[in-house]
Amino acid sequence: MIFSGPVTLGATNTTLNAVAGATLIIRGTLDAKAGGAFTKQGAGTIVIDSQAPAAFLATPSVTNGNPTGSPIAFTLDFRNANQAGTADPVTGLTLSDLDVSGGTATNLQGSGSSYTFDVTPTGNGTVIVSLPAGSVQDAALFDNTASNTVIVNFDTSRPTVTPVTLPGTINTALNQTTTATIVVDYSDIGSGVNSASFSTGNITVSNGATQATVTGFSNSGNQVSYTIAAPASTWGSSTQGSYTITVGGSPVPALAANTVASGTIGTFTAK
């Protein structure tokens, strides 16, 4: 039996009867201003609820707004927003109820008022998730209200580094040059390069037996100029050899935290 509307209890005790196997649903408030109360009679169930379940999607764990792992884990809770956010259990939730753009929802788990599910992005780009109104019902047969919409930018692309200017061949016979300069460009097709990560640790320079020290850097946008000190006081005869420039121990990341892949950037010779 369903009763819609407020119920006012009188000054005396009121008996609400729910026979075995039946549910008495009061879709409204229970007003006891007169000091009354009610006693449940029978083995059935009494449900008193005046509010629809509100759906809340939690924003998944991301770096600078960009998840890098797939699938992306989501949490969906149902609460009664007008009753101090108390849990409002629902039934009937399926994966097909979810509105997902840019990915596919799988692995729905949970019951009652709390659920989890995964979204596997179709590729780099925007993933949008929401739950439309009327997808599920609570015990009082109220339909849920529409959830908030969660938008994330999925990004697994690595930044790239491209040499612009390399030292070329250093003439050690002059025994005068103390530094060399290496200029590179960083780019990222996803979230963008994290320019705050530019440092002397971005690259290493070595000829195997001898390592040159990166002593400084400067940048204009994502173009970075690194200063390399000669292994000795100058690029003299003792520093001769072929030097390899590689990605260092502090590789430049994207804003989504994916870093430049390890490898060789370029080479130059001191002879």
Side-chain angles (χ1 to χ4, degrees):
M1 170 182 271
I2 300 176
F3 180 85
S4 295
V7 174
T8 301
L9 300 178
T12 59
N13 191 66
T14 300
T15 298
L16 298 179
N17 186 43
V19 299
T23 299
L24 172 61
I25 299 175
I26 299 176
R27 303 178 81 223
T29 57
L30 199 63
D31 189 349
K33 290 181 180 178
F38 79 90
T39 299
K40 174 179 176 292
Q41 180 176 308
T45 301
I46 296 177
V47 175
I48 301 171
D49 190 354
S50 63
Q51 302 294 332
F56 296 91
L57 273 168
T59 300
S61 177
V62 298
T63 301
N64 292 319
N66 300 274
T68 58
S70 178
I72 306 170
F74 285 83
T75 299
L76 175 62
D77 292 323
F78 295 90
R79 301 196 294 269
N80 195 321
N82 293 336
Q83 292 183 3
T86 55
D88 195 353
V90 300
T91 57
L93 181 65
T94 66
L95 287 170
S96 61
D97 293 320
L98 298 165
D99 190 354
V100 180
S101 174
T104 303
T106 59
N107 193 32
L108 177 64
Q109 302 288 330
S111 62
S113 62
S114 185
Y115 297 83
T116 61
F117 60 93
D118 296 331
V119 172
T120 301
T122 54
N124 285 341
T126 302
V127 176
I128 305 174
V129 181
S130 64
L131 180 71
S135 299
V136 296
Q137 291 184 326
D138 65 8
L141 305 184
F142 282 112
D143 290 338
N144 69 285
T145 60
S147 76
N148 56 308
T149 298
V150 173
I151 303 175
V152 293
N153 182 36
F154 182 69
D155 181 9
T156 58
S157 63
R158 287 179 177 270
T160 59
V161 55
T162 304
V164 176
T165 304
L166 299 179
T169 300
I170 298 175
N171 188 349
T172 60
L174 297 176
N175 202 29
Q176 294 177 343
T177 305
T178 59
T179 62
T181 300
I182 297 169
V183 182
V184 300
D185 267 336
Y186 292 100
S187 62
D188 181 69
I189 62 172
S191 58
V193 174
N194 184 354
S195 60
S197 68
F198 295 154
S199 72
T200 57
N202 300 152
I203 64 173
T204 59
V205 180
S206 173
N207 71 355
T210 304
Q211 182 161 317
T213 303
V214 184
T215 58
F217 73 96
S218 62
N219 71 289
S220 176
N222 291 332
Q223 185 171 103
V224 184
S225 176
Y226 297 99
T227 300
I228 314 300
S233 58
T234 63
W235 291 95
S237 59
S238 64
T239 65
Q240 290 180 348
S242 178
Y243 288 80
T244 301
I245 308 160
T246 57
V247 174
S250 299
V252 171
L255 291 172
N258 309 308
T259 61
V260 171
S262 60
T264 299
I265 299 172
T267 61
F268 66 93
T269 303
K271 66 178 184 178

